[in-house]
Structure formats: structure tokens, C-alpha cells
Amino acid sequence: TIHATRSTWRHCILFTFNSTLFIESSSKVWKMFFPLPLLFSVSGSRFRANSSYVIKNASPIRDDVRLNMVVSEDHASEVFHMIDTDNSGLICSDELTQVLELLDIHASEEDVSALAKFLDVNDDGDICEEDFLAWYTEAARTVATETNAVRQALLSRRTVHNFDKTPVPDSVLNDAIEAAINAPNHKMTEPWRFIKLGKKTISKIAEMNSAEIAKTDAAKAKKKKERWEAIPGWCVVTCKRSDDKVLEEEDYAATACAIQNFQLSMWADGVGVKWTSGPITRTPEFAELCGIDLESERFVGCLWYGFASGGLGALVGPKRKKATVESVMSTLP
């Protein structure tokens, strides 16, 4: 049972800046911050100040998924003094909006008003730097769950080799492509193209590949064809060619970034991806089947995607030893 008081409001303030905290989706992990030794992940709950609640179906969030966020008190102090031009150590409630915006904390007028009232402990219209920094340091750490989710996706993503037959909804593919095309690209060239392959095209590619293998091993060719045709999703990615070789190299790199975004988006939706670029994908026949004009664009990758057999949680890390930060980073004076 939790009794939500004014003190608990302070812990929730960056979520809503008022006395109501909404946990909206079971597909996301939200942290509720109360003066308790445990953090909980709960969905479908609503909390109001000065009320008591019984938490059901709550589980502690593991320590290893908590955020390692950079919360700079020095930066918050610098921003505070940008507004506190007379160095009095105080800002007025109206100036709080400017401070929040400079710290990338976006809130409505109502939310800012609620926060200002909370921080104005003397009710004199002024907010002191000490109270603001204490709140910022505590609150900023508690609301960065989404940043942590991004980092966890980056560190946990694995290539998936075996897929279930269940088709992946087009909405998941569309979300992945939307994430992909937000990758950085020099001069905003947006050089990428994504080609979703249907069953007929996939079958033709699988047949072409197995025909080559059959020259030496007919049994292996049959198995390979069946395996390729069973992969639920195929997406071919290309990038533009350019007479400017430096620009073409930059565009290729940008498209590789887009593919990583694609994979991370899929992973976040519980879908695995394998980025392939085998010999068959580099043939004119493959390009023709996929509608690729090799004069104006180049093949970058064929992305197989689907629900991982056994689930993403069953995947193990790569066998090769990962490089450490120290082994790949050097520092120059």
C-alpha cells in the first residue's frame, strides 16, 4: 500500500508536474518513484496525491537496467545563472520556464506553475538555486528510463538467424523504416531506398540461389531453398550512386546507419533481423528481381526479419571477444 502525499509528488514531478501520475502502457517500463527502497514497474494505474493505493502485479526493476545517465549539476547551475543575471541566487516563477527549456525539459504553463509553486517554499514568488538544483538532480535521474531503454537496445541487440513463420505486421516494418530514415546523412541527401519483397520475388531469389548450390550439392540446395522461403520478412536496402566519390562514400555510411536504426527499431518491437550481403545479392539477376537500377543505386543489404525462434531472450551473445573501450580509443593532447 502506498500513500501518495506531497512528498511523493516531488518524485513524480517530471512525469506530469502535477499530482497525477499515469502509467499508460504495459509495453513500456515506467518507473514510479516513491520514498520506498524499491522501484516498481506497473501498468494501468493512476495515482493522486493524498490517496492510498495497493500495488498489484508489481515487480522490482532490476539494478542492471537502471539508467547510467549523465546528470550534470554544474550544467544546471550554469543554466540557472544564465537566467539569474543579477547573481542573487534566485529566479522568479516566471523565469522557471526559461530554465527548464534550456535544460531540455518541456512542460505546459500549468505544469510549470505547479512546479514553481512546489519549489517556492517561502511562497514569496522566488525560487532559490539550492532548492532547484536539489530537485533537478533527483528528478532528472528518475525520468530517464527511455534513454536507458535506448542504451539497453544498443547493447543487447543480436543478429537473429532462425525465425518463426509468423508474419511481422506491416506497422512494425513501417516503424522500422521511419526510424531508419531519421539516420544522420551529410547534406541531407537521404540516399536510401527500402524494397519490401513479396513471396513471389522471394521464391525466385531462393530458386536462383539453390540452383547455384545444386551444381555441387543437390540436398543442400533443397534445404537452403526451403529455409529462405520460410523467412517471413525480406527488405532490400540500396543507396544512391554519385559522380562525387566522397559523397557516395558518405551516402553509403549514412545508409549503414539507417540499417542499424532499422534493426534497433525491430528489436524494440520484439522482432529479430539479419543483415545479409551474400554473393547472390551482388548479381545483376538479383538486382533485376528487386527492381534495382545498378546505374543509379547500389545494393547495401538484404534484411531478413521475423520473430526469433525461441524468443529474443534465448539468444546468446557472439562468441568472439568484444573489444573494450580502452582497446579502441586513444586520446591526444
Side-chain angles (χ1 to χ4, degrees):
T1 300
I2 291 177
H3 181 65
T5 64
R6 181 178 175 83
S7 63
T8 63
W9 175 24
R10 177 170 186 158
H11 292 269
C12 304
I13 198 100
L14 262 180
F15 281 110
T16 62
F17 291 90
N18 58 34
S19 58
T20 305
L21 171 63
F22 294 92
I23 310 298
E24 296 181 334
S25 172
S26 59
S27 64
K28 292 184 179 179
V29 177
W30 293 87
K31 292 181 181 179
M32 302 187 316
F33 295 89
F34 295 91
L36 295 174
L38 291 179
L39 304 177
F40 292 96
S41 171
V42 183
S43 67
S45 300
R46 185 189 222 174
F47 297 87
R48 291 190 180 278
N50 303 314
S51 301
S52 295
Y53 300 90
V54 177
I55 304 300
K56 296 180 180 179
N57 301 320
S59 58
I61 293 177
R62 302 194 320 272
D63 287 340
D64 61 341
V65 300
R66 292 184 190 173
L67 177 69
N68 183 24
M69 179 189 177
V70 176
V71 178
S72 174
E73 189 170 318
D74 289 339
H75 178 233
S77 179
E78 177 186 2
V79 169
F80 188 95
H81 284 286
M82 288 180 187
I83 308 303
D84 176 25
T85 54
D86 62 359
N87 292 317
S88 65
L90 299 170
I91 61 172
C92 69
S93 300
D94 292 340
E95 294 171 326
L96 181 59
T97 300
Q98 296 174 264
V99 175
L100 295 176
E101 288 290 337
L102 290 171
L103 289 171
D104 294 316
I105 301 171
H106 309 292
S108 67
E109 291 184 11
E110 181 182 358
D111 293 336
V112 175
S113 177
L115 177 59
K117 185 175 181 180
F118 176 80
L119 292 176
D120 182 12
V121 293
N122 297 324
D123 199 26
D124 59 1
D126 289 328
I127 298 168
C128 76
E129 180 182 5
E130 183 179 358
D131 284 344
F132 175 79
L133 292 181
W135 167 81
Y136 169 78
T137 302
E138 179 182 21
R141 291 183 186 279
T142 69
V143 295
T145 304
E146 290 190 13
T147 302
N148 187 48
V150 171
R151 179 174 171 80
Q152 287 300 314
L154 287 165
L155 296 178
S156 64
R157 191 206 62 80
R158 296 288 182 267
T159 294
V160 174
H161 300 279
N162 300 305
F163 303 94
D164 290 339
K165 295 181 179 180
T166 307
V168 175
D170 283 344
S171 60
V172 174
L173 174 62
N174 293 341
D175 286 347
I177 293 177
E178 182 180 19
I181 63 178
N182 275 280
N185 54 107
H186 197 205
K187 298 182 180 179
M188 296 298 291
T189 56
E190 299 183 320
W192 35 65
R193 188 161 75 97
F194 298 83
I195 308 162
K196 178 188 175 185
L197 304 188
K199 289 183 178 180
K200 289 183 179 180
T201 305
I202 293 169
S203 182
K204 290 178 181 179
I205 294 171
E207 178 63 39
M208 182 172 63
N209 184 63
S210 65
E212 191 66 28
I213 299 172
K215 294 177 181 179
T216 56
D217 191 333
K220 181 179 179 181
K222 182 176 183 295
K223 288 183 179 179
K224 182 73 75 170
K225 183 176 185 296
E226 292 174 350
R227 169 175 162 74
W228 279 29
E229 289 179 332
I231 296 170
W234 290 53
C235 184
V236 174
V237 186
T238 69
C239 74
K240 297 175 184 176
R241 292 189 182 276
S242 173
D243 293 333
D244 184 335
K245 294 305 177 185
V246 173
L247 180 61
E248 185 171 317
E249 182 179 357
E250 290 176 340
D251 283 347
Y252 184 88
T255 305
C257 291
I259 289 176
Q260 172 70 337
N261 282 10
F262 181 103
Q263 294 183 107
L264 291 171
S265 178
M266 286 281 186
W267 184 269
D269 282 330
V271 177
V273 178
K274 182 173 183 177
W275 179 355
T276 68
S277 57
I280 199 70
T281 64
R282 301 183 182 278
T283 64
E285 294 79 10
F286 178 87
E288 183 178 356
L289 284 172
C290 296
I292 300 172
D293 179 3
L294 293 176
E295 293 293 321
S296 62
E297 57 187 334
R298 60 186 290 192
F299 169 84
V300 181
C302 178
L303 307 179
W304 292 340
Y305 62 93
F307 296 102
S309 296
L312 297 179
L315 299 175
V316 296
K319 294 180 180 179
R320 67 181 177 86
K321 184 178 180 180
K322 289 285 189 180
T324 63
V325 174
E326 291 77 11
S327 67
V328 300
M329 186 184 76
S330 58
T331 304
L332 300 177

